Amino acid sequence: MTWRKRLFDLVLAGLLAVILAPLLAGLLIWLALRQGRPLFHVAERMKGVDRPFALWKLRTMTVAENDSGVSGGDKAARITPSGAWLRARRLDELPQLWNILRGDLSFVGPRPPLRAYVERHPDLYARVLQSRPGVTGLATIVYHRHEERLLARCTTAQETDRVYAVNCVPRKARLDLIYQRHQSLCFDADLVLRTLGTLFARR
C-alpha cells in the first residue's frame, strides 16, 4: 500500500467516523432494543496468507455456536429482520471504519477472505492479498449480486462451501488482480462512488 492510499483511507475514515458517529450510536440503541446483545459480530478474516485480523460488523444474524463459513441459503433463516434491513444498505459494515483506522482494511481492495479458503489456495491469495483488503472493490461491484444469487440456492453448509470455492473464489480473484494491476487513487475514488451509486439504486 502506498502512503497516498493510506493517507486517503485515514482522512476519509476519520471524517466519516465523526460524521457517522450519531448514526452508529442510534443503530446500536435500535439493535439493542430490537434484537438484544451481542450488538457486534467479530469474525476472523485474513489480510495476508498468515496474517489474521478481527473484522467488525453489526450483528445481523441469530447467534449460533461454532458458526463458520460464508453465508448462503443454509443460513438465510438466521438473518434477523433488523439484520436484513442493515444488510440491504450495508450499514452492518459501519464498524469497519475501525478496521480501516487500525490498518487492517482499506476502503478499496479485495474482500478479506476466510482462513479456510486462504489455506486451500495459498498461492492465489498470496497474489490477491498483495493489495490490502477493502470494504468494497472491483469484485464486490461486478460480482457481488451474482455471488448472492449462487449462494442463496444452497441449502447446506457443504453445498455453500463447494459453490463458493468452485465458482466464486477464482472469479473474484481474477477481478481483484485486475484491480491490483490498475490501482490508483482515481480508480479507488471511482469504485467508492460506484459502490454508493449501487446502494442508492438498490434502495
Side-chain angles (χ1 to χ4, degrees):
M1 170 180 274
T2 66
W3 69 267
R4 291 182 179 86
K5 183 175 173 68
R6 180 60 180 149
L7 181 62
F8 173 83
D9 286 341
L10 286 173
V11 171
L12 185 55
L15 287 173
L16 289 177
V18 173
I19 294 169
L20 297 176
L23 173 61
L24 180 58
L27 288 173
L28 290 173
I29 294 169
W30 178 64
L31 286 173
L33 294 172
R34 287 289 300 270
Q35 62 184 33
R37 296 185 178 182
L39 300 177
F40 296 99
H41 174 68
V42 184
E44 183 190 68
R45 293 292 186 272
M46 305 297 286
K47 56 183 175 181
V49 172
D50 56 356
R51 298 175 64 204
F53 73 98
L55 180 74
W56 285 73
K57 288 187 176 186
L58 296 177
R59 182 171 67 85
T60 60
M61 304 175 76
T62 57
V63 179
E65 291 187 12
N66 303 317
D67 184 27
S68 63
V70 295
S71 295
D74 58 300
K75 295 184 181 181
R78 289 179 48 212
I79 300 174
T80 65
S82 304
W85 187 87
L86 290 171
R87 285 185 173 209
R89 294 157 179 80
R90 292 191 68 175
L91 291 174
D92 60 313
E93 298 186 9
L94 276 180
Q96 290 173 36
L97 288 172
W98 171 243
N99 286 119
I100 293 173
L101 291 171
R102 279 176 47 87
D104 300 321
L105 292 178
S106 176
F107 272 102
V108 181
R111 285 299 290 164
L114 290 164
R115 180 188 292 271
Y117 299 107
V118 174
E119 290 178 346
R120 282 190 235 175
H121 307 280
D123 294 337
L124 178 63
Y125 279 111
R127 296 169 60 203
V128 168
L129 294 176
Q130 288 178 21
S131 301
R132 186 167 299 185
V135 177
T136 189
L138 184 62
T140 302
I141 293 168
V142 173
Y143 195 73
H144 182 68
R145 296 298 296 276
H146 184 60
E147 178 183 304
E148 278 189 336
R149 287 193 291 268
L150 286 175
L151 298 180
R153 301 170 188 161
C154 301
T155 57
T156 66
Q158 293 76 19
E159 185 183 7
T160 299
D161 174 73
R162 179 182 59 78
V163 169
Y164 186 80
V166 172
N167 294 283
C168 301
V169 167
R171 288 172 174 82
K172 290 169 69 175
R174 280 199 291 270
L175 291 165
D176 289 330
L177 292 172
I178 290 172
Y179 163 76
Q180 191 177 95
R181 290 195 295 271
H182 299 282
Q183 191 273 321
S184 69
L185 287 183
C186 289
F187 194 17
D188 283 3
D190 178 61
L191 291 173
V192 169
L193 291 174
R194 288 169 65 183
T195 300
L196 293 174
T198 300
L199 290 176
F200 284 119
R202 291 178 67 177
R203 290 182 61 185

